[in-house]
Amino acid sequence: MQIVDSHTAGEPTRLILSGGPELGVGTLAQRAERLVQDHGDFCAAVLLEPRGHDAMVGALLLPPTDPACAAAVIYFNPVGPLGMCGHATIGTVVSLHHLGRIGLGLHRIETPVGVVEVDLVAPNRAVVENVPSYRFAQDVVLDVPGQGLVTGDVAWGGNWFFLTTDCPVALDFDNIDALTRAAKAIRRALLDAGITGAHGADIDHIEFLGAPQTPQGHGRNFVLCPGGAYDRSPCGTGCSAKLACLAEEGLLEPGMPWVQESIIGSTYILRYHRDTQGAVVPRIEGEAHVTAQATLLFEDTDPYRAGIRA
Ligand code: PYC
């Protein structure tokens, strides 16, 4: 299996160039579902220890069905598929450029939730125009054991997010364990209360929001991903959900920049415009770096060929 590893603002992506499972025919969303339902061992083997670690996001490269697209990509983490993934899209185009497969400039990428446009503005820098994003529910109040009442919004940015400024501790690197525990408790409380996104969709990302810690920043976040790892980057789809909420509240005008800091201090520059239907179309600008180009090996006799799992 041929892979290229990269990180985008600290968050790792493993781009799988060859050696992935046969997913049959159907839409990319159907094939993404099949990847996780029928090939869970593949996802775990590729992403988890001893070959990876639980923060890694996989990007399975497939031929596009639309000839106007440079590639089709299915994003997945160790526990399931992701509809879209901002950091992995930036990582994918930077990796494809590193391989000499694409040049600088505009590229269209098919994802399970729709086509996104990426402008590779430099070998390590790209701007992703995400799918239209929206706030689904405002000021949802949750009773969270150990935290009391927590109020937040539910929004879609290519994945489902619960966004709240009710952080139990400061958004500091040293508090990552406490933030992870608190975000997991919120996720459990959402499940227990039966609160979902549209059409009963699981809200599988939790985003704490707070004040920036640098003069150029506008906000800082901490994002818990579905497998329980935290996003080292400001989370492209989480930023899209955040932009949808800012736009809804009239707190950010179209075209104006918003510098979003992650919990490790890395940044994305965010902007949005409205499409012809008035929907918020986010733009996420960030930097990625290739860290490895390798062949993954899975020996039959390896007791951990399908990853280290409970
Ligand atoms: O950048 O959209 C993102 C993302 C989702 C999960 C991890 N990163």
Side-chain angles (χ1 to χ4, degrees):
M1 181 181 302
Q2 300 300 316
I3 57 145
V4 180
D5 283 353
S6 61
H7 76 84
T8 308
E11 178 74 353
T13 302
R14 177 156 282 174
L15 178 65
I16 297 138
L17 301 170
S18 64
E22 178 49 59
L23 298 174
V25 292
T27 66
L28 207 53
Q30 287 165 338
R31 285 181 281 160
E33 230 12 84
R34 227 171 277 146
L35 173 70
V36 174
Q37 295 300 323
D38 303 345
H39 303 281
D41 279 358
F42 163 84
C43 299
V46 168
L47 296 184
L48 289 180
E49 295 178 43
R51 291 168 192 80
H53 57 90
D54 67 349
M56 228 171 208
V57 170
L60 179 62
L61 194 66
L62 296 168
T65 50
D66 176 351
C69 291
V73 183
I74 292 175
Y75 303 106
F76 61 97
N77 63 28
V79 296
L82 293 164
M84 224 309 267
C85 186
H87 93 265
T89 303
I90 296 173
T92 294
V93 293
V94 164
S95 296
L96 291 175
H97 180 265
H98 165 81
L99 294 170
R101 293 194 184 186
I102 62 171
L104 298 182
L106 285 180
H107 303 282
R108 287 160 66 81
I109 309 276
E110 277 176 17
T111 81
V113 295
V115 172
V116 299
E117 197 169 85
V118 191
D119 191 1
L120 186 61
V121 292
N124 295 104
R125 198 162 188 85
V127 185
V128 178
E129 185 170 297
N130 197 5
V131 292
S133 301
Y134 62 97
R135 178 160 70 182
F136 177 69
Q138 185 183 4
D139 290 339
V140 175
V141 181
L142 273 180
D143 194 358
V144 184
Q147 290 174 65
L149 295 184
V150 171
T151 304
D153 292 347
V154 176
W156 163 259
N159 296 299
W160 283 102
F161 288 82
F162 181 81
L163 305 98
T164 180
T165 54
D166 289 344
C167 311
V169 291
L171 290 177
D172 290 340
F173 190 84
D174 289 346
N175 288 335
I176 283 172
D177 286 349
L179 290 162
T180 300
R181 275 194 304 277
K184 283 183 175 173
I186 291 176
R187 181 152 149 65
R188 255 192 317 274
L190 286 166
L191 286 169
D192 290 347
I195 296 169
T196 67
H199 313 297
D202 193 15
I203 303 168
D204 54 4
H205 291 74
I206 309 299
E207 182 166 352
F208 286 124
L209 300 162
Q213 293 187 6
T214 62
Q216 62 276 10
H218 295 92
R220 193 177 185 88
N221 71 13
F222 169 91
V223 177
L224 180 77
C225 299
Y230 73 93
D231 198 330
R232 278 69 171 158
S233 80
C235 189
T237 50
C239 286
S240 301
K242 160 90 183 164
L243 279 171
C245 297
L246 285 171
E248 185 96 352
E249 273 156 34
L251 294 174
L252 188 70
E253 289 302 311
M256 296 304 289
W258 176 283
V259 176
Q260 185 67 46
E261 299 169 2
S262 73
I263 193 67
I264 68 163
S266 58
T267 55
Y268 285 159
I269 304 172
L270 316 180
R271 288 185 173 81
Y272 75 93
H273 69 271
R274 289 195 183 268
D275 68 12
T276 48
Q277 267 107 67
V280 170
V281 181
R283 286 210 176 103
I284 315 295
E285 178 173 351
E287 202 172 289
H289 294 272
V290 171
T291 55
Q293 191 174 333
T295 304
L296 292 188
L297 301 177
F298 303 88
E299 292 182 350
D300 286 341
T301 53
D302 179 352
Y304 298 111
R305 70 194 300 279
I308 298 176
R309 292 186 274 176

